[in-house]
Amino acid sequence: MRIGLDIDGVMYKWDATARYMLREVLPASPYKDILTQESQGWNWIQEQVSPEHWGWLWTEGVRLGLFRYGHLYPGTIQAVRALAEIGEVVLITHRPKQAVTDTLAWLGMLNLPISGLHLLTNGENKGLVRPGFDVFVDDKPENVQDVLAHSDCTNVILMRRPWNRDFNCQYGMKVESLQEVVDVLL
């Protein structure tokens, strides 16, 4: 069994790290009291900050560690290890080109039992990754739809997050944690 896992929003708390960087790392940040809660929508952070500061996050913020530091969701390491006992775990994520080295270093530090990695740097459709997956887990509804539309994978799982709570995952299931994915696959 091939299990495709997204990184950001599934394993890695990208939202929390991005908000932290905009509050605490951005020079003279005006967001100290604004970016304290988890995003409520896919574009929530971008809508809260100026275009200049959003640009800073994707340039200087990436250089300073947006994809190198931060926290995992609780239980991620244990769940990925358990998934690797069930099948091949392949990570698939969208990242800017300038974050590839940090992503590889971060994953190396975690020492997870993964069988493969797809770092998509040009917004490629996750459903076109080959070989495909028997199970696919992501937090972005569009990625789940892309996999359903462009691959043979019919077992898709949407990681429930505040930014996707209104999405009706009619062809898959919603879970709260990677441990729930393990429980479903056992």
Side-chain angles (χ1 to χ4, degrees), residues 141 144-145 148 156 158 164-174:
V144 168
Q145 292 172 319
L148 285 169
V156 295
L158 185 69
N164 67 29
R165 68 182 171 272
D166 295 331
F167 179 72
N168 180 10
C169 193
Q170 62 191 24
Y171 299 108
M173 66 177 60
K174 286 185 177 182

Side-chain angles (χ1 to χ4, degrees), residues 56-106:
W56 174 91
L57 181 67
W58 290 100
T59 54
E60 192 65 10
V62 169
R63 190 186 71 71
L64 292 171
L66 178 62
F67 294 101
R68 184 179 341 129
Y69 304 115
H71 299 284
L72 295 171
Y73 285 97
T76 294
I77 291 174
Q78 298 86 342
V80 171
R81 288 180 180 153
L83 288 170
E85 291 183 18
I86 296 170
E88 293 182 40
V89 175
V90 178
L91 304 181
I92 176 171
T93 190
H94 290 118
R95 293 281 171 96
K97 287 179 186 177
Q98 64 271 30
V100 169
T101 301
D102 280 354
T103 301
L104 294 173
W106 179 76

Side-chain angles (χ1 to χ4, degrees), residues 105-179:
W106 179 76
L107 288 169
M109 178 193 68
L110 294 175
N111 196 30
L112 296 171
I114 62 172
S115 299
L117 170 65
H118 295 272
L119 283 169
L120 307 177
T121 60
N122 291 310
E124 298 92 337
N125 182 321
K126 289 184 178 181
L128 299 176
V129 168
R130 297 294 182 260
F133 308 104
D134 298 302
V135 177
F136 177 71
V137 183
D138 206 306
D139 67 304
K140 188 173 185 182
E142 292 83 358
N143 290 336
V144 168
Q145 292 172 319
D146 286 344
V147 167
L148 285 169
H150 299 286
S151 76
D152 293 334
C153 181
T154 57
N155 193 3
V156 295
I157 300 173
L158 185 69
M159 188 64 63
R160 190 174 292 155
R161 300 290 181 233
W163 48 86
N164 67 29
R165 68 182 171 272
D166 295 331
F167 179 72
N168 180 10
C169 193
Q170 62 191 24
Y171 299 108
M173 66 177 60
K174 286 185 177 182
V175 299
E176 300 288 336
S177 70
L178 280 176
Q179 183 57 51

